[in-house]
Amino acid sequence: MASRAVVLGGGGTVGIAWEIGLLTGLHRAGVDIGAADLIVGTSAGSVVGTQIALGLPLDFQLAAQLAPLDAVKAAPISFDTHSLMAIGVLWGSTAEMTPALAAEIGALALKSKTDTEDVYLQRFESVLDGLAWPQRPLRITAVDVQSGEIVVWDRNSGAPLARAVASSCAVPGLFPPVTINGRRYMDGGIRSGTSADLAHGHDVIIIIAPIGATAEAFDQMARRQFEHEMVLLRAEGSVVELVLPDQESLAAFGPNLMDTTRRALAAQAGLCQGALAAEAIRKIGW
């Protein structure tokens, strides 16, 4: 039987909701992405990938996205506007992210005036604290703020699950880098919004990418990266299917992927898109 991998990309709070809706729509149409032999998650995708690997029912996850947030979770994020803008300029100044440039971004992330690390971690530890890594193969990406190099967390890496996910979601300038085993780590999307190359060696690979469907600069940067990854995977003989937000989903996203008020809209749009995408995914052998 062909080996299968799913790659879940970054895309903020809205991206999480859309991915969950999309996966639920696929599942209801008879395509069980959760049956993958490997799950790769980056940033928002690390949250969704972890939930899948832990075996949380998709309908349960979808209901959580459709429900109103409590006052604490809906509270505005405290972030450093000046630092975030400087990071955005640096991040968007290159066609290719290098470890050296990522380290420059990391230095700015360390200086950013954000919520404290403890406050930020509470978002993840309230859900995942004390949970063991799932036995199913799960790879979560982050970037070392000092070296700019990617790190891949899994059940053998020695990173607590909650901190691994938090580090993958730690957008520099918006959230603080996360300490794991004495080093600090930031969002895995700095290196790549998908890191689909981590799925090499699998016969069938599905890439689900919330970012990359528009003409915006960051979307185009993300698109160049995952298209490069897809070329490499296909050269190895893998069959690769890419799922990007359709026009209805993009309209549901709105301009700010961290806008918690768009969660339900994005989840519903993903649900509809998943039902439409099921046949194409079945055709490649999923």
Side-chain angles (χ1 to χ4, degrees):
M1 184 176 179
S3 61
R4 301 175 294 181
V6 61
V7 175
L8 297 162
T13 304
V14 172
I16 291 173
W18 176 74
E19 289 183 348
I20 289 172
L22 184 84
L23 294 176
T24 305
L26 288 169
H27 189 267
R28 291 179 181 179
V31 177
D32 184 10
I33 296 294
D37 299 293
L38 171 67
I39 300 166
V40 177
T42 294
S43 199
S46 74
V47 175
V48 179
T50 296
Q51 292 175 332
I52 294 171
L54 288 171
L56 297 182
L58 281 166
D59 283 335
F60 171 82
Q61 296 181 53
L62 179 64
Q65 295 301 317
L66 298 177
L69 285 175
D70 62 41
V72 174
K73 291 181 179 178
I77 298 166
S78 175
F79 61 90
D80 186 334
T81 303
H82 177 75
S83 181
L84 192 61
M85 290 179 64
I87 289 168
V89 169
L90 188 58
W91 195 346
S93 67
T94 181
E96 180 183 0
M97 181 59 65
T98 64
L101 184 56
E104 289 187 55
I105 293 173
L108 290 173
L110 290 171
K111 297 176 182 178
S112 297
K113 298 176 182 177
T114 64
D115 283 337
T116 67
E117 186 177 348
D118 285 343
V119 168
Y120 172 62
L121 283 170
Q122 287 173 10
R123 301 169 182 264
F124 301 88
E125 292 178 341
S126 63
V127 177
L128 298 173
D129 192 33
L131 290 182
W133 276 81
Q135 290 301 305
R136 299 184 56 197
L138 169 66
R139 296 175 185 169
I140 293 173
T141 69
V143 171
D144 187 305
V145 297
Q146 288 185 302
S147 70
E149 297 284 354
I150 185 175
V151 61
V152 181
W153 307 118
D154 61 20
R155 65 174 178 263
N156 299 314
S157 61
L161 180 59
R163 284 184 178 256
V165 176
S167 71
S168 190
C169 295
V171 179
L174 194 59
F175 303 117
V178 172
T179 305
I180 298 176
N181 299 329
R183 296 187 69 84
R184 306 288 296 280
Y185 298 93
M186 60 183 173
D187 197 307
I190 293 293
R191 184 259 191 179
S192 166
T194 48
S195 287
D197 52 322
L198 297 179
H200 71 88
H202 290 270
D203 300 309
V204 179
I205 300 169
I206 307 298
I207 301 172
I208 298 174
I211 299 176
T214 78
E216 296 293 330
F218 281 102
D219 273 56
Q220 290 302 301
M221 183 188 302
R223 192 179 190 99
R224 285 193 296 271
Q225 181 63 43
F226 64 59
E227 285 182 344
H228 174 68
E229 294 163 359
M230 289 166 65
V231 167
L232 296 178
L233 292 169
R234 286 170 174 157
E236 294 179 346
S238 298
V239 176
V240 183
E241 181 75 11
L242 172 67
V243 182
L244 291 169
D246 59 17
Q247 289 303 310
E248 289 75 14
S249 292
L250 290 174
F253 284 10
N256 177 10
L257 293 178
M258 298 304 297
D259 184 354
T260 57
T261 67
R262 312 289 295 194
R263 292 163 59 253
L265 290 172
Q268 291 282 15
L271 186 67
C272 294
Q273 187 177 348
L276 296 173
E279 184 60 29
I281 293 177
R282 271 194 294 266
K283 284 181 177 178
I284 65 170
W286 196 278

